[in-house]
Amino acid sequence: MARDISVILPTYRECENLEPVVSRLEKVLEGWDWEAVFVDDDSDDGSREVLLRLARQNPRVRFLRRVGRRGLASACIEGMCSSAANIFAVMDADLQHDESLLPEMARILSREKDVDIVVATRYAAGGSIGDWSRSRHFVSRFATKLEKKFLRTELSDPMSGFFAIKREVLDKCIHKLAGKGFKILLDIVLSLPERPRIRELPYTFRPRLHGQSKLDFIVALEYLYLIADKLFGGFLPVRFILYGLVGLSGLFLHLLVLGLAYREFGLDFFLSQSLATLLAMISNFFFNNIFTFRNQRLKGSAFLIGAFLYMLICSVGAIANIQVADYLFSLKVPWWVSGAVGALVGAVWNYAVSTQIVWTWFRDKFVSSKKRISLS
Ligand code: GDD
Ligand code: MN
């Protein structure tokens, strides 16, 4: 027999919120056959001991410990995959979501055939965000507007992290999910082959009592990444676009250094060009490591060796670039087309090879698996 509802709770450093959230679930879900699945990313604040104890004491509580990975969205996906229930509710474990909505969510999804997803929303009549800081308010509004402009789902609160979904609906999109960042609901809605039928329930977002929010700059970047991925991902990998943008910044730096060294300081052209190339490569490596490959970021000595490897690879890319450009030019192709095609060939080589060698092969060999935490 399947349980009526499985509540999936992603947790990272929520030690003090775990017991209270379980007792609240027990209260509101009385009379239902429910389970709670905590998916914890190896928190170092004592959460593991608490979750083990809760799971041992209470047959309704399950605990999935993930190691070497971080990420709210992927935690929710794995939590749902670990459950045999027919209805999944995803809810934060920090008591900010109003758990009293859960029975209504379960009721709607178990009885109504024409609803796929029930979303708890802060922005519909009757809902609110409680007392948020002005900057957080602004960021949330801005993110919502961005979604409205580019993706146009019918969600009044596309950022919501509190919703319930039927198993068969999840099954339709599970292979397409990006699984990155915080926006699991948006990811699901955008990955489904047809627009899902959504029911919204308003609620008030509560202030946090214990612990801290994990929403930071990187999470915001990941949101933009998700939007870009859903917009262009079909034909151009977003990572390659990021790589191209970093390359463009490198080109500017290159010209700046070249101009300064050659024109201002009167250095020899060959020397100036070499200096500019070296600095641009270092800068490109640095920014690619921060943005393009932020999930596989290299640190410490791995950073230094990685930089060296990257420069080696890019030198080969530069040779390929010049060879191709030169060949095309000799066939009387206009100089700027030859140059651009050469640069593109070099960039594709650099991208493909440095992805495989620097941020994959080398990283797997050199960085110990414990440190290899990736945001997935
Ligand atoms: N397993 C796991 N791994 N859990 C995580 C991770 C992670 O890397 N990061 C955060 N969580 C858990 C937290 O422990 C918490 O239970 C829940 O995910 C939400 O994280 P918060 O850090 O409290 O997020 P928030 O309150 O700032 O953001 C909430 O509101 C947003 C709306 O603006 C979340 O509900 C978001 O999903 C929502 O979009
Ligand atoms: Mn929170």
Side-chain angles (χ1 to χ4, degrees):
M1 269 298 286
R3 298 213 189 255
D4 298 331
I5 182 168
S6 176
V7 185
I8 314 296
L9 302 118
T11 63
Y12 188 67
R13 296 192 181 144
E14 299 291 356
C15 166
E16 292 170 287
N17 293 316
L18 303 168
E19 280 201 57
V21 84
V22 172
S23 27
R24 289 185 188 197
L25 290 177
E26 289 197 296
K27 211 175 282 161
V28 296
L29 288 169
E30 220 196 307
W32 290 84
D33 186 9
W34 60 279
E35 70 172 352
V37 180
F38 287 91
V39 187
D40 186 74
D41 287 352
D42 216 13
S43 306
D44 51 6
D45 64 343
S47 293
R48 180 158 53 102
E49 288 73 18
V50 180
L51 286 171
L52 258 184
R53 181 164 47 77
L54 287 168
R56 284 175 179 167
Q57 281 169 354
N58 190 336
R60 298 207 177 275
V61 175
R62 290 203 293 117
F63 165 33
L64 178 61
R65 178 189 182 190
R66 299 201 307 168
V67 292
R69 301 212 282 300
R70 273 290 313 276
L72 199 168
S74 63
C76 296
I77 297 169
E78 286 174 39
M80 292 190 271
C81 288
S82 83
S83 164
N86 282 324
I87 296 172
F88 310 116
V90 169
M91 187 175 104
D92 290 356
D94 57 2
L95 311 173
Q96 294 195 269
H97 289 162
D98 184 353
E99 64 288 335
S100 66
L101 255 52
L102 287 168
E104 184 63 11
M105 288 175 157
R107 211 170 291 130
I108 294 173
L109 290 185
S110 57
R111 301 217 182 120
E112 297 189 27
K113 287 225 161 6
D114 58 350
V115 182
D116 297 318
I117 305 176
V118 181
V119 180
T121 168
R122 300 161 295 173
Y123 295 131
S128 105
I129 52 167
D131 41 358
W132 258 9
S133 72
R134 283 181 68 173
S135 58
R136 177 74 201 259
H137 194 147
F138 174 78
V139 170
S140 178
R141 280 284 179 192
F142 179 70
T144 307
K145 283 214 176 100
L146 215 61
E147 189 279 331
K148 290 264 167 298
K149 181 145 183 55
F150 290 110
L151 302 170
R152 300 193 203 99
T153 60
E154 280 130 41
L155 298 162
S156 69
D157 187 359
M159 307 299 121
S160 179
F162 186 18
F163 62 95
I165 181 170
K166 288 180 181 161
R167 162 184 294 280
E168 67 258 29
V169 180
L170 180 75
D171 282 347
K172 284 187 203 150
C173 66
I174 191 120
H175 294 113
K176 300 217 179 73
L177 297 177
K180 298 235 157 42
F182 264 42
K183 304 308 157 204
I184 172 73
L185 172 66
L186 199 55
D187 195 1
I188 290 178
V189 170
L190 296 171
S191 304
L192 279 167
E194 292 145 36
R195 293 206 160 213
R197 294 157 303 173
I198 290 169
R199 175 77 52 88
E200 298 198 318
L201 299 177
Y203 82 106
T204 300
F205 195 74
R206 301 192 192 117
R208 210 182 227 283
L209 297 177
H210 309 286
Q212 279 171 354
S213 168
K214 283 93 205 172
L215 199 149
D216 56 10
F217 176 66
I218 297 290
V219 170
L221 263 186
E222 267 163 348
Y223 175 61
L224 296 180
Y225 190 97
L226 177 71
I227 291 200
D229 191 46
K230 294 295 170 196
L231 279 176
F232 320 110
F235 48 94
L236 250 195
V238 176
R239 213 152 67 162
F240 185 68
I241 298 176
L242 284 176
Y243 197 86
L245 288 176
V246 169
L248 219 57
S249 77
L251 181 67
F252 277 110
L253 182 73
H254 185 110
L255 292 177
L256 186 76
V257 174
L258 181 64
L260 278 178
Y262 182 60
R263 302 290 297 260
E264 289 293 315
F265 293 99
L267 291 184
D268 162 60
F269 182 78
F270 183 77
L271 193 67
S272 309
Q273 171 73 352
S274 310
L275 187 69
T277 308
L278 189 71
L279 287 179
M281 278 204 251
I282 294 176
S283 148
N284 282 358
F285 175 75
F286 183 79
F287 287 113
N288 276 322
N289 196 47
I290 291 187
F291 297 114
T292 321
F293 299 100
R294 68 198 179 293
N295 298 343
Q296 294 122 282
R297 194 171 295 164
L298 301 170
K299 292 189 182 135
S301 51
F303 177 87
L304 294 178
I305 303 176
F308 177 73
L309 264 178
Y310 177 81
M311 287 196 249
L312 262 180
I313 291 165
C314 291
S315 314
V316 178
I319 295 172
N321 165 353
I322 295 167
Q323 292 286 328
V324 169
D326 198 46
Y327 174 69
L328 289 178
F329 191 64
S330 74
L331 296 179
K332 307 250 176 323
V333 174
W335 64 269
W336 57 275
V337 179
S338 312
V341 173
L344 193 67
V345 168
V348 171
W349 157 273
N350 288 349
Y351 173 70
V353 179
S354 62
T355 304
Q356 290 307 318
I357 299 212
V358 180
W359 281 282
T360 309
W361 172 82
F362 163 68
R363 181 169 170 272
D364 287 353
K365 285 264 172 301
F366 191 84
V367 184
S368 80
S369 63
K370 199 156 168 39
K371 288 201 186 132
R372 224 187 292 146
I373 300 275
S374 65
L375 281 157
S376 57

